[in-house]
Amino acid sequence: MQNIAVIGAGYVGLVTAAALAETGNRVLCVDSDTEKIRKLRKGSVPIYEPGLDKIILKNKKLKRLLFSTSIKEATVSAQIIFICVGTPSRQDGSADLSAVQKVSQEIARNIREYKVIVEKSTVPAETGEKIKRTIEMNNPGGVSFDVVSNPEFLREGSAMQDAFHPDRIVLGVASERAEKIMRQLYKPFKAPIVATSINTAELIKHACNSFLATKISFINAIANVCEKIDADVEKVALAMGLDTRIGKEFLRPGIGFGGSCFPKDVDAFIHLAAQKGYDFELLKAARKINQERKDVFIKKIEEALWIIKDKTISVLGLSFKPDTDDIRSSVAIDIVRLLLGAGAKVKVYDPKAMERAKSLLKGATFCDNPYEAVRKSDCMAILTEWQEFKELDLKKIKKILRQPVIIDGRNMFDPQQMRAMGFVYKSIGRSGK
Ligand code: UGA
């Protein structure tokens, strides 16, 4: 059992806190948002993440998981302190690290004995060094400490599964003492550990997210070519994925990658590389392909409807991917905005993300179920691949649409079957002939 503190009760912080409490540690989770902490203390979990609330409630009851707003309390009580605060993008694409700096200063002021300070937020390379310097400057007693970089690889929607069964754990360490403590902490997870320098660990996170984002843009570029020569991108992705050197994950074509990580991390890595004197053209191209996905999708709607103005378009899916209520940098939200901007009447439905989307999509009509959204629409657009949409009664959909037009941004259905049912069906990278 270790005493742990997790600073920042966002996605990464809450999942980390829950997973470490579940493996028997005593975890104090801290956030400056008093309302959030008040709710968590009462047992209300502020985000939708399958399985998370159960683990939080269980460990809260067992008094292994506690909540506070005090970094001082966290620093005094814990030996290992995880920094999981937000690192949003600045206008120029670089990461805003002011929260990381503030937390580091406050930890430093309260250190009275040796601590391991773990950077888990997604940060640009060399942030570990800056955290170390900040703590040294604000730690007048000169108490010894170690900074560790321990990047997070969890995916929203499957975060608990990812937290308990990671492919690997990366530890950027500068001392044997810190490495030993961290290895001990992660023993119950039974995952391979890659121990390396702090800079290398930080670069691993940049490299992983950028590679995955590039993989998605690659298959989307292939989809563009498939459309031009009447080939089927799904078959291309299947055959590519069966090559074990390539692997089948992250080869799903669609409307492009969104979310709070990939777009921001790609920007930050391009920015960091440029600062260091390297023009990361490959990554810039991946970003450009991604930015163009929205226009590719809108064009498909235009091809089917001719003129978008005054048409009623129903949009199914607003979250940036299924099984989450997160709409941060969701391509679906951007597409709804573009449709509204083009003068369409937009009716939207999402199983989980409607509450969050309401303030962002003022002109849209929010519907209680997919059928209500689709009724009397000129076209149904699928933007997030929720399982619920796969199970739609398509005969009913056909009856209640004003025109039997479906534009599928996530390739959820078989083109031939859809056409056999009488739909005008357009999807990504396949003609279905
Ligand atoms: C991503 C990474 O997958 C995690 O490993 C990482 O820890 C996390 O970022 C982070 O840096 O914190 P996440 O943003 O939760 O996780 O979501 P993903 O499942 O990676 O999806 C990102 C976007 O790519 C979504 O918009 C999704 O629709 C899109 N995507 C994904 C595709 O368009 N095609 C695919 O084949 C896969």
Side-chain angles (χ1 to χ4, degrees):
M1 204 270 303
Q2 297 259 30
N3 275 319
I4 313 283
V6 173
I7 320 268
Y11 273 98
V12 172
L14 281 174
V15 173
T16 303
L20 292 174
E22 181 70 8
T23 46
N25 301 288
R26 181 186 175 277
V27 183
L28 180 66
C29 186
V30 175
D31 201 286
S32 55
D33 183 339
T34 46
E35 182 56 18
K36 195 187 254 184
I37 292 300
R38 195 185 61 78
K39 283 190 176 155
L40 280 161
R41 278 183 175 149
K42 280 188 154 177
S44 142
V45 179
I47 52 172
Y48 171 74
E49 182 61 47
L52 177 64
D53 47 357
K54 238 193 219 156
I55 295 176
I56 288 185
L57 293 182
K58 174 182 159 195
N59 285 281
K60 202 177 139 293
K61 224 175 181 179
L62 292 169
K63 305 222 173 332
R64 287 197 301 227
L65 182 54
L66 301 131
F67 298 97
S68 167
T69 51
S70 164
I71 293 181
K72 181 175 180 185
E73 187 188 346
T75 311
V76 171
S77 67
Q79 191 193 14
I80 309 173
I81 304 164
F82 283 85
I83 302 180
C84 300
V85 294
T87 53
S89 272
R90 287 214 207 89
Q91 204 100 64
D92 63 359
S94 66
D96 177 356
L97 297 173
S98 47
V100 175
Q101 184 181 45
K102 245 176 92 187
V103 167
S104 309
Q105 286 167 334
E106 204 159 339
I107 292 172
R109 287 189 202 112
N110 293 292
I111 292 190
R112 301 289 175 267
E113 56 184 348
Y114 176 78
K115 306 279 169 189
V116 178
I117 293 132
V118 187
E119 149 205 296
K120 213 169 185 46
S121 303
T122 298
V123 291
E126 298 182 324
T127 301
E129 285 172 11
K130 289 178 186 133
I131 294 176
K132 184 164 180 270
R133 228 180 309 132
T134 305
I135 297 178
E136 277 165 356
M137 283 192 307
N138 291 274
N139 163 19
V143 180
S144 77
F145 68 92
D146 270 304
V147 172
V148 170
S149 161
N150 173 213
E152 184 53 71
F153 299 106
L154 60 85
R155 290 161 298 174
E156 288 180 23
S158 55
M160 290 323 301
Q161 170 73 11
D162 292 345
F164 288 120
H165 307 284
D167 290 340
R168 76 309 205 183
I169 290 163
V170 174
L171 295 177
V173 284
S175 83
E176 273 178 29
R177 185 179 185 182
E179 182 175 339
K180 209 169 146 205
I181 292 171
M182 293 304 290
R183 279 187 183 273
Q184 186 64 30
L185 180 68
Y186 280 124
K187 219 171 182 176
F189 293 83
K190 297 190 176 80
I193 290 181
V194 180
T196 176
S197 72
I198 296 176
N199 279 356
T200 303
E202 290 167 336
L203 208 88
I204 289 171
K205 174 74 188 196
H206 282 301
C208 289
N209 274 6
S210 298
F211 185 81
L212 292 170
T214 306
K215 208 173 169 191
I216 298 169
S217 279
F218 185 86
I219 200 66
N220 281 330
I222 297 283
N224 287 344
V225 181
C226 283
E227 285 170 15
K228 292 192 192 306
I229 67 161
D230 192 18
D232 182 343
V233 71
E234 290 294 339
K235 291 277 158 57
V236 176
L238 173 71
M240 281 178 73
L242 286 170
D243 185 327
T244 50
R245 293 168 304 175
I246 298 173
K248 66 178 175 21
E249 302 288 336
F250 282 68
L251 279 181
R252 289 193 321 274
I255 56 173
F257 57 80
S260 65
C261 304
F262 283 176
K264 181 188 90 169
D265 292 357
V266 164
D267 281 352
F269 201 20
I270 290 171
H271 190 270
L272 177 98
Q275 244 182 357
K276 298 287 169 190
Y278 178 64
D279 183 8
F280 211 143
E281 285 183 86
L282 176 65
L283 210 45
K284 282 184 179 168
R287 176 171 67 182
K288 183 165 176 279
I289 291 167
N290 199 55
Q291 284 160 348
E292 288 165 358
R293 297 311 291 160
K294 301 172 214 175
D295 303 329
V296 168
F297 190 77
I298 297 281
K299 225 183 197 156
K300 285 181 192 292
I301 298 184
E302 264 169 359
E303 275 166 17
L305 299 186
W306 185 13
I307 289 158
I308 287 183
K309 191 170 180 293
D310 295 331
K311 295 283 179 354
T312 303
I313 298 172
S314 42
V315 163
L316 302 190
L318 297 172
S319 56
F320 82 99
K321 65 173 187 179
D323 297 324
T324 176
D325 61 349
D326 198 344
I327 50 164
R328 286 175 292 173
S329 299
S330 169
V331 185
I333 297 284
D334 290 345
I335 288 176
V336 172
R337 282 186 171 141
L338 287 171
L339 292 172
L340 288 168
K345 295 192 186 88
V346 187
K347 294 165 79 184
V348 300
Y349 170 75
D350 186 283
K352 293 280 177 208
M354 305 250 277
E355 264 324 295
R356 286 182 191 259
K358 269 181 186 153
S359 61
L360 292 181
L361 302 176
K362 285 273 194 276
T365 307
F366 285 76
C367 301
D368 288 338
N369 63 65
Y371 300 104
E372 192 192 319
V374 166
R375 196 173 302 280
K376 295 208 170 109
S377 272
D378 295 295
C379 147
M380 166 175 132
I382 303 174
L383 299 187
T384 314
E385 67 276 36
W386 285 93
Q387 182 59 27
E388 185 180 329
F389 303 154
K390 191 104 193 154
E391 290 154 12
L392 284 173
D393 178 348
L394 291 172
K395 280 193 188 134
K396 184 170 168 185
I397 294 281
K398 185 156 174 265
K399 237 188 242 162
I400 59 180
L401 272 168
R402 194 182 282 149
Q403 308 184 120
V405 179
I406 297 183
I407 316 291
D408 181 356
R410 299 291 188 174
N411 285 0
M412 294 197 80
F413 299 106
D414 178 75
Q416 273 164 351
Q417 279 175 13
M418 295 302 275
R419 275 174 211 139
M421 286 186 75
F423 283 107
V424 172
Y425 177 77
K426 287 180 183 291
S427 56
I428 307 289
R430 44 190 201 158
S431 75
K433 277 183 205 158

